[in-house]
Amino acid sequence: MPLVAGVDSSTQSCKIVVRDAATGALVRSGSARHPDGTEVNPGAWWTAFQEAAIAAGGLADVSALAVGGQQHGMVVLDSEGEVIRPALLWNDTRSAQAAADLIVDLGAAAGVPGEQAWAEAVGTVPVASITATKLRWLADAEPENAGRIAAVALPHDWLTWRIAGFGPRSQGLEPDLAALTTDRSDASGTGYFDAAGSDGAGEYRRDLLALALRRDVADVESIVLPRVVAPAESAGSGDAQVVGDAVGGAVLGAGAGDNAAAALGLGMVTGDVAVSIGTSGVVSAIAGAPTSDVSGMVTGFADATGAYLPLACTLNASRVLDAARAVIGVDHAGLSRLALQAPGGADGLVLVPYLEGERTPNRPDATGTVHGLTLKSSTPEHFARAYVEGMLCGLADGLDALREQGVAVERLLLIGGGAQSEAVRRVAPEVFGMPVVVPEPGEYVADGAARQAAWVLTGDENPPAWTTSSTRTYEAEAVPAIRQRYAEVRDLS
Ligand SMILES: Nc1ncnc2c1ncn2[C@@H]1O[C@H](COP(=O)(O)OP(=O)(O)O)[C@@H](O)[C@H]1O
Ligand SMILES: O=C(CO)[C@@H](O)[C@H](O)COP(=O)(O)O
């Protein structure tokens, strides 16, 4: 019975699950940390992948493997396969001005408001997270580096390429840029890929790549963009020489952006909405048709099966809880306990959680603020509660934005590292105003990648019907005052 591996190369770590291809049963798993920071040398992802593979008991017996990864990161390669500069990650906000400039530029060219022009072109109004804005930043701030670009890839594309045995010539590897692959879900987050184009298969918009790099279209024709591999198509095979016996010639799946992979791992269907509390806070849903939100709150990405994945993403999620732990001096369990000891609404204490600036809404220079502090609310319990509520209010705004785009919201699934917090699980229904379903703790991005790998093995029309994990539903009376108070102060700072 063949085994498959799924990889989640996420912001904070690399996680690998090995599952039975037929049933989806978990066989073993491993993980390794990524370095901190919003600018990372991709070599660190490769190192972490190898460490995670060893922690997972090796991958020599695995028949297929696919990589889910943090979206949007800009990996620029020269003609020798060298990474030109460290990758700028999705949560790096230095390209905020570039995003604003690109909106103006496309609007001027199209003769309509820039937000409309982008929403119509690729379903997404650029913010600093989007890859195209990072390329514009590179063209402006580091023109010499921009001039050396031979290929642009995303984190999961680059890692798949390395696993397939390609890499920089300086390391004795074959720098075959034409062997770079991606998938429609991750490509849809670049800002230069129209997921709905070419009858829904998606197509690159080289004119937008050229706009980002301040060049003519003819000048970017030679830049290699990864080949977009179809959902159940093979992207090649792992090269044993590169990773010893770690990958052993496994068939490679296309891989996916992490949120699309999570949807596949959860077995999401229309009406399901995932609320993921990782480094990013993500509210996403499967949709049969593309969205184009000119407000920019919802990005019109693609899923990993050929459908769409409208999504609202905040910069401030699990790390808000980490920050609260640091401020109060407690561990995860302690923070949860304290938060649940304070009343709903924390007696008017509100945290606006823009600790890293914010992306949804687009406020890259914002900071976090605390409002309504009184003698009564000056307790660790109230602060713990305010941090949990503030983080969830940011996600509830994203959920509203999805509803405004006509997305059906029938079931909320709470996942990601932060969903392990009992306080988050219990406060979430009060804030969202509906029950939340918590699947058993797991690596749903890596699971989705594993399911994709199994799908490549079968070659069937649909992914294998793996049993989904058991869930627990958290119900509570809605506490509308939490969001009302948050809305009053959200835009004050
Ligand atoms: N029990 C817990 N309660 C709250 N947060 C937690 C808990 N366990 C882990 N986390 C947080 O989850 C985050 C990692 O989640 P993860 O989904 O793996 O993130 P990413 O995919 O962005 O790397 C960390 O910020 C960590 O502090
Ligand atoms: O930017 C987005 C989605 O648009 C983020 O969701 C990244 O894909 C990073 O994910 P995590 O590592 O936080 O899970």
Side-chain angles (χ1 to χ4, degrees):
M1 120 192 32
L3 298 179
V4 290
V7 180
D8 175 10
S9 180
S10 75
T11 313
Q12 296 192 42
S13 59
C14 181
K15 308 147 211 183
I16 300 181
V17 298
V18 176
R19 288 188 175 269
D20 180 298
T23 64
L26 181 64
V27 177
R28 49 185 206 265
S29 63
S31 68
R33 295 276 312 165
H34 283 160
D36 281 338
T38 61
E39 177 178 288
V40 171
N41 192 317
W45 303 330
W46 176 242
T47 303
F49 166 73
Q50 292 182 299
E51 289 170 4
I54 291 165
L59 300 173
D61 53 352
V62 156
S63 301
L65 174 149
V67 180
Q70 54 173 313
Q71 295 191 253
H72 317 301
M74 177 191 72
V75 181
V76 280
L77 302 174
D78 71 11
S79 56
E80 296 295 290
E82 296 288 346
V83 173
I84 293 172
R85 70 170 327 286
L88 293 189
L89 305 192
W90 64 278
N91 52 354
D92 188 294
T93 52
R94 80 186 71 177
S95 57
Q97 185 56 47
D101 293 347
L102 278 169
I103 292 170
V104 170
D105 292 354
L106 190 64
V112 295
E115 290 81 359
Q116 181 189 337
W118 279 97
E120 285 173 358
V122 292
T124 297
V125 180
V127 290
S129 296
I130 302 300
T131 324
T133 73
K134 298 176 189 301
L135 289 171
R136 170 58 74 87
W137 175 86
L138 192 72
D140 290 345
E142 299 180 357
E144 269 186 41
N145 281 339
R148 287 174 55 207
I149 295 176
V152 186
L154 296 167
H156 112 254
D157 312 344
W158 182 86
L159 190 56
T160 304
W161 188 65
R162 283 295 274 115
I163 293 169
F166 303 103
R169 198 185 299 284
S170 64
Q171 291 181 28
L173 299 168
E174 181 57 43
D176 184 357
L177 301 179
L180 279 162
T181 55
T182 190
D183 88 307
R184 179 172 164 272
S185 72
D186 221 5
S188 68
T190 59
Y192 46 84
F193 182 83
D194 172 13
S198 206
D199 284 336
E203 61 189 355
Y204 282 117
R205 289 282 308 259
R206 280 191 181 263
D207 56 325
L208 299 180
L209 178 69
L211 186 73
L213 287 169
R214 293 193 191 281
R215 297 200 211 165
D216 293 333
V217 183
D219 286 344
V220 299
E221 285 303 341
S222 61
I223 292 179
V224 175
L225 296 175
R227 180 171 68 85
V228 182
V229 172
E233 188 188 338
S234 168
S237 63
D239 186 326
Q241 285 184 321
V242 179
V243 284
D245 66 355
V247 177
V251 171
L252 297 179
D258 54 2
N259 298 297
L264 198 53
L266 287 164
M268 278 167 64
V269 294
T270 309
D272 288 343
V273 175
V275 176
S276 171
I277 303 174
T279 316
S280 60
V282 172
V283 187
S284 60
I286 301 287
T291 54
S292 56
D293 178 10
V294 291
S295 82
M297 289 286 286
V298 175
T299 49
F301 297 157
D303 84 341
T305 68
Y308 296 87
L309 194 79
L311 173 157
C313 176
T314 70
L315 289 182
N316 296 287
S318 68
R319 279 178 168 159
V320 173
L321 307 179
D322 294 342
R325 289 196 293 116
V327 167
I328 303 171
V330 286
D331 60 10
H332 285 307
L335 181 74
S336 178
R337 215 170 22 250
L338 287 172
L340 291 172
Q341 282 165 9
D347 287 317
L349 185 67
V350 179
L351 172 83
V352 180
Y354 300 159
L355 308 187
E356 300 228 85
E358 191 43 272
R359 157 176 171 181
T360 311
N362 184 20
R363 297 194 48 199
D365 301 320
T367 54
T369 41
V370 173
H371 297 265
L373 191 57
T374 61
L375 269 183
K376 188 178 184 191
S377 61
S378 298
T379 73
E381 289 82 357
H382 285 82
F383 267 86
R385 179 93 195 186
Y387 270 69
V388 170
E389 288 180 355
M391 185 269 292
L392 288 169
C393 282
L395 291 165
D397 286 349
L399 183 62
D400 284 352
L402 241 62
R403 282 198 177 99
E404 277 163 31
Q405 289 302 302
V407 170
V409 182
E410 286 159 23
R411 196 170 73 128
L412 282 188
L413 294 152
L414 201 61
I415 58 164
Q420 292 178 51
S421 157
E422 187 65 11
V424 167
R425 295 168 172 202
R426 291 217 209 157
V427 175
E430 296 180 4
V431 173
F432 294 131
M434 64 185 287
V436 297
V437 175
V438 185
E440 62 193 51
E443 297 301 344
Y444 290 96
V445 175
D447 290 347
R451 191 165 175 223
Q452 186 193 54
W455 193 6
V456 177
L457 287 184
T458 65
D460 290 348
E461 195 181 332
N462 295 307
W466 286 358
T467 317
T468 47
S469 66
S470 61
T471 60
R472 179 168 167 197
T473 301
Y474 285 72
E475 296 188 59
E477 281 288 309
V479 184
I482 299 175
R483 291 199 63 201
Q484 280 162 11
R485 179 89 183 99
Y486 180 83
E488 283 164 19
V489 298
R490 179 187 48 215
D491 302 321
L492 293 182
S493 59

